[in-house]
Amino acid sequence: MIFRQLFDQTSGTYTYILASRPGGEALIVDPVLEKVDRYLTLLRELDLRLVKAVDTHLHADHVTGLGALRDRTRCITVMGEQTKADVVSMRLADGDRLTVEGLALDVLYTPGHTDDSYCFVLPDRVLTGDTLLIRGTGRTDFQNGDPRQQYESIFGRLLRLPDRTLVYPGHDYKGDTVSTIGEERAHNPRLQVKSIEEYVELMNNLKLANPKMMDVAVPANMKIGLQQEAVARQGWAVGGAEALALAGRPDIVFVDLREQSERERHGVIPGSLHVPYPELAGQIGEGGTLFALARGEGRTLLFYCAYGERSAMAVQAAQDSALAGSRHLEGGISAWRSAGGPVAR
Ligand code: FE2
């Protein structure tokens, strides 16, 4: 596995790049906007293709690099289903798996620092975001933080991982880079409490100043959705009702870009083809199935996904592959459902 820990001095943020092999797909966790050029250079040097950019939660101390990375690499943006961010390409829930080629991270919902905090678990390590820090824990006094929930997330979930599990946090301010679950259980001063009440008392009396960047970072991080107007202006977007009118026509092919887990949870548009977004490039190029359907059979591709981001990027990529007739469903499957479209399980 390729595993890189990168540091942003200004905010004390750790960013992680993970991939299974050189030449393969990569994901990045908690990227910082100002460091995006650095990440892209490193990804190029390591011969990695960025497929997913993930935030463990909505950050208050730095502006996320998710939107910039999506705009520059057409990767998928990912956050938890509780996030207040306007649009991310894909939302995760507890028990999901966060996957790229050759890697699958178990998704743990660990509220407490914020109500949209997640941790990501591999067999030998865990990315803990701001839920569990080295010799500390994430503050719980804003963004719907809750020390009770955090206690449950730490004691009920994270500390149940094997003691030797490596802990890679979202921040550090003292120069530590990695710890283990066993080490934190034994030596993290916040975890030496006898009860949940004692933990709540401790967390409610930290009296911390707000992060310097908070008033800038939080609003910026809530507005990261792809600017879809340009796609709509080109006439490449259809709304839910329009899509419904096109359904069943033999010259239209609905293409579902979501992952299998999303299809199982939210259902599919009946009769649609499944092409997960990361596989799109191979399918719309010459020799690909979608290329053959569009150019060979003269059918119109109608891409859809969860919220319309992946499909907006797909319709753009299709134009670039000279599949000029392609369209996408703006607003994703929820727009379809709102228009009364049927959903198959
Ligand atoms: Fe945070």
Side-chain angles (χ1 to χ4, degrees):
M1 178 172 67
I2 296 169
F3 183 86
R4 292 301 173 95
Q5 183 183 44
L6 297 135
F7 187 58
D8 175 55
Q9 198 93 36
T10 313
S11 60
T13 302
Y14 283 127
T15 301
Y16 300 92
I17 292 176
L18 292 86
S20 64
R21 63 174 180 97
E25 295 181 353
L27 69 86
I28 191 165
V29 177
D30 287 337
V32 175
L33 178 63
E34 288 79 6
K35 292 285 191 286
V36 160
D37 284 332
R38 171 69 192 126
Y39 309 141
L40 293 175
T41 302
L42 182 60
L43 287 160
R44 202 162 42 239
E45 289 166 350
L46 298 177
D47 189 22
L48 297 174
R49 184 163 72 92
L50 185 65
V51 168
K52 288 180 181 164
V54 189
D55 267 351
T56 51
H57 62 288
L58 196 118
H59 298 287
D61 62 342
H62 68 271
V63 177
T64 176
L66 256 59
L69 285 166
R70 177 206 53 225
D71 292 344
R72 292 177 63 179
T73 69
R74 289 187 179 165
C75 70
I76 300 173
T77 57
V78 185
M79 290 184 78
E81 62 182 357
Q82 296 81 1
T83 182
K84 308 271 189 307
D86 55 348
V87 183
V88 286
S89 307
M90 181 177 176
R91 289 174 185 245
L92 295 169
D94 189 65
D96 280 350
R97 306 196 94 191
L98 170 61
T99 58
V100 291
E101 175 208 349
L103 283 181
L105 289 77
D106 289 321
V107 174
L108 287 189
Y109 177 46
T110 52
H113 170 58
T114 62
D115 59 357
D116 69 342
S117 288
Y118 279 77
C119 295
F120 303 112
V121 185
L122 281 162
D124 68 336
R125 65 193 68 197
V126 54
L127 305 183
T128 55
D130 292 356
T131 301
L132 178 61
L133 305 174
I134 298 175
R135 309 299 191 265
T137 56
R139 61 193 298 172
T140 54
D141 56 339
F142 57 63
Q143 290 186 287
N144 298 322
D146 181 337
R148 277 177 191 282
Q149 286 189 331
Q150 192 175 50
Y151 181 94
E152 296 296 347
S153 293
I154 294 173
F155 284 85
R157 309 291 305 271
L158 291 176
L159 294 189
R160 295 200 174 165
L161 296 170
D163 273 359
R164 63 179 180 282
T165 309
L166 298 167
V167 171
Y168 285 98
H171 287 99
D172 193 83
Y173 310 100
K174 310 173 300 293
D176 291 308
T177 54
V178 60
S179 178
T180 65
I181 288 292
E183 200 181 311
E184 290 311 308
R185 184 204 316 284
H187 303 296
N188 188 321
R190 298 250 177 103
L191 306 188
Q192 311 311 309
V193 290
K194 304 253 171 338
S195 65
I196 188 165
E197 305 308 332
E198 199 184 323
Y199 186 75
V200 171
E201 176 77 11
L202 173 69
M203 293 306 286
N204 283 343
N205 288 290
L206 293 177
K207 300 191 171 67
L208 300 167
N210 280 346
K212 285 193 281 290
M213 284 281 287
M214 186 165 168
D215 295 338
V216 175
V218 170
N221 291 339
M222 287 169 72
K223 267 210 199 73
I224 59 170
L226 178 74
Q227 297 304 313
Q228 295 203 15
E229 292 77 6
V231 169
R233 260 200 309 278
Q234 301 281 349
W236 299 337
V238 301
E242 213 178 327
L244 195 51
L246 294 171
R249 269 176 45 177
D251 57 327
I252 307 286
V253 184
F254 281 71
V255 182
D256 185 357
L257 299 166
R258 296 170 301 159
E259 302 193 353
Q260 192 54 34
S261 58
E262 298 174 275
R263 289 159 56 83
E264 283 164 14
R265 189 172 326 130
H266 302 292
V268 304
I269 295 178
S272 52
L273 281 185
H274 183 210
V275 178
Y277 177 78
E279 292 168 23
L280 181 75
Q283 295 285 335
I284 57 176
E286 249 183 296
T289 311
L290 295 179
F291 185 91
L293 284 169
R295 288 288 281 278
E297 300 181 19
R299 298 167 85 186
T300 296
L301 305 178
L302 177 50
F303 296 105
Y304 76 97
C305 59
Y307 310 104
E309 273 214 351
R310 279 168 284 187
S311 59
M313 295 192 285
V315 80
Q316 174 74 61
Q319 308 294 328
D320 296 348
S321 285
L323 305 182
S326 305
R327 298 287 178 268
H328 92 107
L329 172 54
E330 203 167 4
I333 195 161
S334 59
W336 168 266
R337 206 182 269 114
S338 310
V343 170
R345 293 279 163 182

